[in-house]
Amino acid sequence: MDQQIRLFGAVAVRPAVLAVIPRFETITGYKVAARWELNPAVRTQIEAGEPFDLVITNPNLIEELVSLGKIRAGSQVTFGRIAMGVAAREGSRALDIGSVEAFKQTLKGARSIAYASDGTSGGYFQGLLERLGIADEVKPKLVPVSGGQTAAAVGRGEADLGVVPVTSILAAAPEAMLVGRFPAELQSYIDFAIGVSADSTDAEAASQLSAFLVSADIDETLAARGIERS
């Protein structure tokens, strides 16, 4: 069997999904060809006609693509969620972000903070700075990074800290390390769902991959890479 399933997914879930795909390929004999973009680009490219069999992106974008006839109605399922976290370069001094006040002080004390300039997390973080009343003080320190490379930029020393989904931080190890997740009061989970293309060349194979990705068998592997089942 050499059927290939075209998986189109958000950059934030890439490290976790790639960790389980070989198991699916071994079990089924299918091959998975995956490509990754930031969430907004996933939607835009599918709307423009990008071919795919299965997509993983934000639930609201899945629903929009269903309404556009790009995703088969009724195929959408919940994949999981990713917490926001803070990254630092491996070997950096210990930092406290365990409370709202400690989080604010850590951001104010950093010389530079990388964030995703064109992703879901970056928009949330900029709004959070306004809510916390520290935008004027912190925004001059912000370093916009594109293409899902925020944590890697921290690992290269291009910024003191990075604010990005936990999956990206864990994937950037050992150069970058997870300082911690946002305090509970400030946490914003990024949700992800799965949908099958309305024009899939093999909807049955795509549905098998969808079922595998939501199965409890891979929960532990996903959790180790930052995906939480909600």
Side-chain angles (χ1 to χ4, degrees):
M1 186 186 302
D2 59 2
Q3 174 66 41
Q4 192 171 75
I5 303 170
R6 297 165 300 180
L7 172 64
F8 195 11
V11 168
V13 301
R14 175 176 59 189
V17 173
L18 288 180
V20 298
I21 287 300
R23 194 186 314 181
F24 173 80
E25 292 179 330
T26 299
I27 293 169
T28 65
Y30 290 115
K31 293 298 180 185
V32 177
R35 63 181 303 248
W36 313 93
E37 298 283 356
L38 294 170
N39 281 299
V42 171
R43 182 201 185 282
T44 301
Q45 291 181 25
I46 288 177
E47 188 177 358
E50 177 68 32
F52 72 102
D53 295 302
L54 196 74
V55 62
I56 309 175
T57 189
N58 300 143
N60 61 307
L61 301 184
I62 293 283
E63 294 305 323
E64 289 174 16
L65 291 167
V66 169
S67 68
L68 290 170
K70 298 293 187 179
I71 290 176
R72 181 155 54 87
S75 71
Q76 58 268 50
V77 290
T78 298
F79 176 62
R81 65 184 190 178
I82 304 173
M84 290 287 291
V86 175
R89 195 170 190 182
E90 181 61 40
S92 301
R93 63 185 178 84
L95 297 168
D96 179 12
I97 60 168
S99 67
V100 173
E101 189 56 36
F103 181 82
K104 288 169 62 175
Q105 292 305 318
T106 292
L107 294 182
K108 289 162 68 173
R111 289 172 299 180
S112 54
I113 304 168
Y115 75 102
S117 58
D118 45 7
T120 308
S121 66
Y124 172 74
F125 178 57
Q126 291 188 79
L128 179 61
L129 295 177
E130 300 285 354
R131 276 173 45 204
L132 293 173
I134 58 174
D136 290 344
E137 190 170 351
V138 173
K139 282 192 173 181
K141 306 176 181 184
L142 296 185
V143 179
V145 181
S146 62
Q149 293 296 307
T150 308
V154 174
R156 293 192 296 267
E158 295 167 16
D160 280 359
L161 301 178
V163 174
V164 70
V166 167
T167 46
S168 299
I169 301 172
L170 296 175
E175 287 78 17
M177 66 177 186
L178 176 64
V179 174
R181 289 163 171 77
F182 280 23
E185 303 95 319
L186 306 179
Q187 186 58 261
S188 175
Y189 290 97
I190 304 173
D191 294 306
F192 291 90
I194 298 171
V196 176
S197 171
D199 300 314
S200 174
T201 54
D202 191 338
E204 173 56 33
S207 295
Q208 283 189 45
L209 178 55
S210 176
F212 172 80
L213 290 172
V214 300
S215 69
D217 293 348
I218 62 171
D219 283 0
E220 190 174 329
T221 303
L222 295 182
R225 288 161 178 80
I227 300 284
E228 302 177 22
R229 299 294 206 183
S230 51

